């Protein structure tokens, strides 16, 4: 029997976790191999489908953190625990935590860019003995936009965490400023051997990577995600094509030595 890669499967919503007014995590039933940085296509008949990055991985579930921004996601937000959604995937190559074990690791995330790297942060928070020093720098527009608030408290026990916002609205325990301004403050044992993961808006990634290079990071020790270019997941629609690469197939995770060539 020929498998049709376009046919989705039914997944039950095991839980719905609210982060902000427009960002919820849908915990979906799923058993199978999946990596941080990969994505699923979430679909609803008559409304369409949307690519959503994996933000959490469990034995019988995956977390999909979704922003309510359009026709499909608006309808997803009408679904509740116990109901179902249609999924395809996982797609993409994802982040391989084996690349970072035993090394000094810096993870930089801007806004919802924290979702695809959350699996890496969770892994090393649960296995702190497997890194040689870790720093998470996460930036959001305001305190009201911060995702995974409860998780930050746990992460701080296992790594250095810099949580920053562009501007404060009232009292906040966050630092103020762009994520890039904290790069020169990194205290690394050997910057030449340290590794980094950078995910967020294009300009944030551009200047964050440049900041890491400026302090001595090697290009081959930096990974980025072009998750914003994800589309059909199969490389058929062509919307994810940059040069000779298909982000849905070759990415969305790229080593910077390749990622720097992906100019859209």
């Amino acid at each position: 029997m020929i498998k049709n890669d376009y046919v989705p499967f039914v997944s039950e919503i095991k839980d719905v976790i609210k982060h902000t007014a427009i960002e919820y995590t849908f915990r979906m039933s799923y058993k199978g191999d999946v990596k941080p940085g990969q994505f699923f296509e979430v679909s609803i008949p008559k409304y369409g489908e949307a690519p959503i990055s994996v933000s959490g991985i469990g034995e019988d579930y995956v977390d999909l953190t979704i922003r309510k921004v359009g026709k499909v996601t608006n309808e997803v937000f009408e679904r509740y625990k116990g109901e179902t959604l249609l999924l395809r995937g996982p797609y993409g190559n994802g982040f391989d935590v084996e690349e970072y074990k035993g090394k000094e690791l810096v993870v930089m995330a801007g806004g919802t860019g924290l979702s695809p790297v959350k699996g890496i942060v969770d892994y090393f928070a649960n296995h702190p003995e497997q890194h040689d020093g870790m720093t998470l720098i996460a930036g959001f527009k305001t305190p009201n936009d911060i995702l995974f608030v409860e998780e930050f408290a746990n992460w701080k026990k296992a790594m250095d965490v810099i949580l920053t916002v562009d501007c404060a609205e009232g009292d906040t325990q966050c630092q103020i400023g762009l994520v890039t301004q904290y790069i020169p403050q990194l205290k690394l044992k050997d910057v030449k051997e340290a590794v980094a993961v950078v995910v967020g808006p294009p300009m944030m990634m551009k200047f964050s990577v440049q900041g890491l290079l400026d302090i001595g990071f090697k290009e081959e020790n930096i990974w980025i995600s072009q998750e914003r270019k994800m589309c059909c997941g199969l490389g058929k629609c062509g919307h994810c094509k940059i040069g000779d690469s298909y982000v849905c197939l070759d990415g969305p995770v790229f080593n910077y030595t390749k990622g720097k060539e992906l100019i859209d």
Side-chain angles (χ1 to χ4, degrees), residues 234-249:
L234 298 169
K236 299 298 184 183
C237 71
H239 288 104
C240 71
K241 193 172 188 293
I242 305 178
D244 60 355
S245 296
Y246 288 85
V247 172
C248 284
L249 300 179

Side-chain angles (χ1 to χ4, degrees), residues 100-129:
Y100 317 127
K101 287 183 178 180
K103 301 176 182 177
E104 291 184 278
L105 172 61
V106 177
V107 176
M108 299 187 65
T112 55
L114 181 58
S115 294
V117 300
K118 180 174 174 289
I120 303 173
V121 180
D122 284 338
Y123 180 85
F124 286 107
N126 293 326
H127 303 87
E129 75 284 354

Side-chain angles (χ1 to χ4, degrees), residues 108-114 137-140 179 199-201 204 228:
M108 299 187 65
T112 55
L114 181 58
I137 306 176
F140 297 88
V179 294
V199 184
M204 172 266 173
R228 289 171 177 255

